[in-house]
Amino acid sequence: MGRIISSYIFRGILMNLRFTKFFKKFSSFEYQINQLSSIINYGRLVSINGLVLEAVGLTSSIGSECFIERIIEKKRRDIRAQIIGFSGKKTFLLASEEIRGVFPGARVFIKFRNNKNYVLRKMPFSTQLLGRVLDARGDPLDQLPKIDYKYYSAIEQNSINPLHRESITEILDTGIRSINTLLTIGQGQKIGIFSSSGLGKSMLIGMIAKYTKSDVIVIGLIGERGREVKDFIKNILGPEGLLRSVIIAAPADVSPILKIQAASYSANIAEYFFKKNKNVLFIMDSLTRYAMAQREIALSLGELPVFKGYPASLFSKISNLVESTGIVSQQKGSITSFYTILNESEDEQDPVSHLARSILDGHIILSRDYADAGHYPAIDIESSISRVMPNIINSKQYQQALYFKKLVSVYQKNKDLINVGAYIHGTDIILDHAIKLWPKLEKFLQQTMSEKHDYYSSCKNLNEIFL
């Protein structure tokens, strides 16, 4: 009798396991069925002008995703494209992949579901993004499993009422002594890091990512070299930093439309965690590459360049991207954002640099003179500024910071006279004090990658200089 009961129990367990496997397969099959379009509309490719592909026979709105058929080695391998404009019966597309193998008259498919065009792109938004490296579409680059589709949702662009923004009152501890004391940054502030090539920009943002006190780090690597992406993750950010980070990478060799999508997606991820009442550190490297991608597309569409090849529409697009971060009164979290801006030949008339200075809450300028002298981080304290600093620190630290910058400035202006021995001691009291304290000032401004100085120890070190 006992054997018969055991046999029934075993059969029951076996049937339950089979049912579970069947249910999982059925769920997967059901998901694939739901992904199929109820209607497929297609047009024909008629022209390719630079980056822009022209098609006829399509009836869909700007932003819709479509697929262009192509043949490679006698196999059909469709490529993704996005509708970016139209003129009369022609629709303009921008491919997000290499267009090799596309032929004249190739069909361009647009998927519909329930008689509605599937316009809004769905991207993954979840806490499962932490520790992941994804591309502009939310697909994994780290060879880990793809994010479950149940965490996908549409990207919505919402402007923030300026009256709903909260004042910046809390200090952000970056772990970098010179920034903590002389360029104090608040939670929710927007900062630009201005640099030309080879000045230690990547090292500085790596230090900010590793040492800043925040709940979540979102990093958008836009238009950087592929080697730099891996080097930043492995050697600069490190395994511990990656655990609380989400990295969206669109290297230099991808389509400009993917660079723009990556920038937008990374900003939306920061907003997602902010709405979860998290203090988010958002880093975009670089805003200039984003602007260049926008310029490529605009010029391909025939938009007239205004200054240095950049179209007029660029300025509103950068402003919209930057203004999506900050503090909103309804939320307890914040988004503190750092945008790197590449100065072409250190030209201050660069339009991206000029615009960024005007819309950001401060800027950190990297100096070639400091970098050439092996002085890192190569921050030019004289030219850098944090606009919210006076409102979030005490008056004593603010006065010390101002006097520190004055000493550095007067020393640098008279450096040549000092070095050749032409300066006569007693001519300028402030310069005399700067010469006396210069070794301490210089040491205070320098910090290696492995060092971390919290806000309170940084203030203590600053105070000790003037004792």
Side-chain angles (χ1 to χ4, degrees):
M1 188 66 178
R3 289 182 180 179
I4 294 172
I5 293 172
S6 299
S7 176
Y8 275 112
I9 293 172
F10 178 75
R11 288 178 182 178
I13 293 172
L14 188 61
M15 288 179 67
N16 189 37
L17 288 173
R18 287 175 178 173
F19 177 77
T20 302
K21 289 181 179 179
F22 172 77
F23 182 76
K24 286 182 178 180
K25 287 182 179 180
F26 179 78
S27 298
S28 177
F29 179 71
E30 184 182 26
Y31 164 70
Q32 293 177 29
I33 290 295
N34 288 333
Q35 290 300 101
L36 294 176
S37 304
S38 56
I39 300 175
I40 297 179
N41 176 38
Y42 71 87
R44 294 282 183 178
L45 198 65
V46 295
S47 175
I48 298 177
N49 295 316
L51 296 174
V52 178
L53 295 82
E54 298 179 7
V56 294
L58 296 178
T59 54
S60 189
S61 58
I62 292 175
S64 300
E65 189 176 59
C66 52
F67 298 86
I68 304 170
E69 65 175 340
R70 65 171 172 175
I71 305 297
I72 296 180
E73 296 177 355
K74 298 182 180 180
K75 292 182 180 180
R76 180 177 162 180
R77 297 176 182 176
D78 294 350
I79 60 174
R80 292 185 182 183
Q82 185 175 320
I83 295 177
I84 57 173
F86 52 85
S87 176
K89 295 183 178 180
K90 286 186 178 180
T91 301
F92 302 134
L93 314 170
L94 196 67
S96 58
E97 303 170 44
E98 175 61 47
I99 61 173
R100 183 175 66 89
V102 173
F103 52 90
R107 288 177 295 178
V108 182
F109 297 93
I110 293 182
K111 291 186 177 182
F112 286 75
R113 188 177 302 161
N114 299 325
N115 297 327
K116 293 182 179 180
N117 184 211
Y118 211 39
V119 176
L120 292 176
R121 295 192 313 274
K122 287 195 172 184
M123 309 289 284
F125 293 96
S126 167
T127 54
Q128 291 193 1
L129 295 176
L130 292 172
R132 299 299 304 270
V133 183
L134 308 173
D135 66 9
R137 299 191 188 99
D139 294 330
L141 293 173
D142 49 15
Q143 299 180 344
L144 295 175
K146 189 172 181 177
I147 305 296
D148 195 310
Y149 189 76
K150 68 181 180 181
Y151 297 115
Y152 278 60
S153 60
I155 291 180
E156 296 181 4
Q157 302 293 342
N158 298 317
S159 60
I160 301 173
N161 187 327
L163 298 182
H164 291 168
R165 289 192 179 274
E166 195 71 30
S167 299
I168 297 173
T169 57
E170 298 293 327
I171 292 171
L172 182 76
D173 188 351
T174 64
I176 301 173
R177 183 166 51 197
S178 56
I179 295 178
N180 278 345
T181 53
L182 308 176
L183 302 168
T184 311
I185 293 170
Q187 288 184 6
Q189 191 171 346
K190 297 181 280 286
I191 295 288
I193 299 176
F194 295 77
S195 170
S196 55
S197 59
L199 304 188
K201 169 180 62 68
S202 297
M203 185 179 78
L204 178 60
I205 62 173
M207 292 173 72
I208 292 171
K210 284 176 67 176
Y211 299 140
T212 297
K213 287 187 176 179
S214 61
D215 300 320
V216 176
I217 305 169
V218 180
I219 304 173
L221 299 176
I222 314 299
E224 296 299 313
R225 294 186 291 272
R227 179 193 60 79
E228 280 192 339
V229 172
K230 184 175 181 179
D231 182 68
F232 178 84
I233 296 168
K234 185 177 180 181
N235 300 323
I236 298 179
L237 189 61
E240 291 185 7
L242 183 60
L243 286 176
R244 62 187 180 113
S245 302
V246 183
I247 298 177
I248 307 300
D253 60 343
V254 304
S255 165
I257 195 70
L258 289 181
K259 293 174 187 175
I260 294 169
Q261 286 181 12
S264 176
Y265 180 38
S266 56
N268 276 271
I269 292 174
E271 186 179 356
Y272 167 82
F273 283 105
F274 158 68
K275 288 180 178 178
K276 298 288 184 182
N277 294 326
K278 303 292 184 181
N279 290 316
V280 181
L281 173 65
F282 176 49
I283 298 174
M284 181 177 289
D285 185 19
S286 68
L287 190 64
T288 304
R289 305 295 188 201
Y290 168 81
M292 289 179 174
Q294 291 282 11
R295 177 173 64 180
E296 273 190 86
I297 295 173
L299 294 181
S300 297
L301 286 172
E303 190 174 345
L304 294 176
V306 176
F307 187 51
K308 289 199 171 182
Y310 288 103
S313 62
L314 173 72
F315 302 103
S316 62
K317 291 182 183 296
I318 289 180
S319 299
N320 291 340
L321 181 68
V322 170
E323 282 297 304
S324 64
T325 62
I327 299 179
V328 181
S329 56
Q330 289 90 342
Q331 306 295 333
K332 295 180 181 178
S334 65
I335 304 176
T336 307
S337 49
F338 288 84
Y339 301 90
T340 64
I341 296 97
L342 303 174
N343 290 333
E344 298 176 6
S345 302
E346 301 183 4
D347 182 5
E348 293 187 1
Q349 297 303 314
D350 175 66
V352 178
S353 175
H354 181 72
L355 175 63
R357 283 174 183 266
S358 65
I359 62 176
L360 294 172
D361 300 322
H363 44 265
I364 298 172
I365 311 295
L366 300 189
S367 164
R368 186 165 295 280
D369 291 336
Y370 281 133
D372 290 343
H375 179 126
Y376 291 103
I379 299 174
D380 184 354
I381 292 298
E382 302 170 70
S383 303
S384 304
I385 189 171
S386 170
R387 292 193 175 100
V388 304
M389 178 179 173
N391 302 324
I392 59 175
I393 64 172
N394 59 59
S395 59
K396 179 182 178 182
Q397 183 195 334
Y398 186 58
Q399 293 302 322
Q400 286 180 336
L402 289 178
Y403 188 59
F404 188 105
K405 294 179 76 170
K406 182 182 286 188
L407 292 177
V408 172
S409 178
V410 72
Y411 185 91
Q412 293 293 356
K413 288 178 181 177
N414 295 276
K415 189 175 182 179
D416 293 338
L417 290 176
I418 297 168
N419 290 338
V420 299
Y423 172 72
I424 300 174
H425 182 75
T427 305
D428 187 330
I429 296 175
I430 295 178
L431 181 55
D432 291 341
H433 199 201
I435 294 171
K436 179 182 177 182
L437 294 179
W438 183 249
K440 291 182 179 181
L441 301 179
E442 193 172 32
K443 183 180 179 182
F444 182 86
L445 292 173
Q446 296 184 53
Q447 184 175 332
T448 63
M449 272 285 293
S450 58
E451 290 182 72
K452 178 184 177 182
H453 296 276
D454 62 46
Y455 176 74
Y456 293 104
S457 66
S458 300
C459 292
K460 182 181 178 183
N461 293 153
L462 177 64
N463 190 54
E464 288 172 350
I465 291 176
F466 301 110
L467 291 179

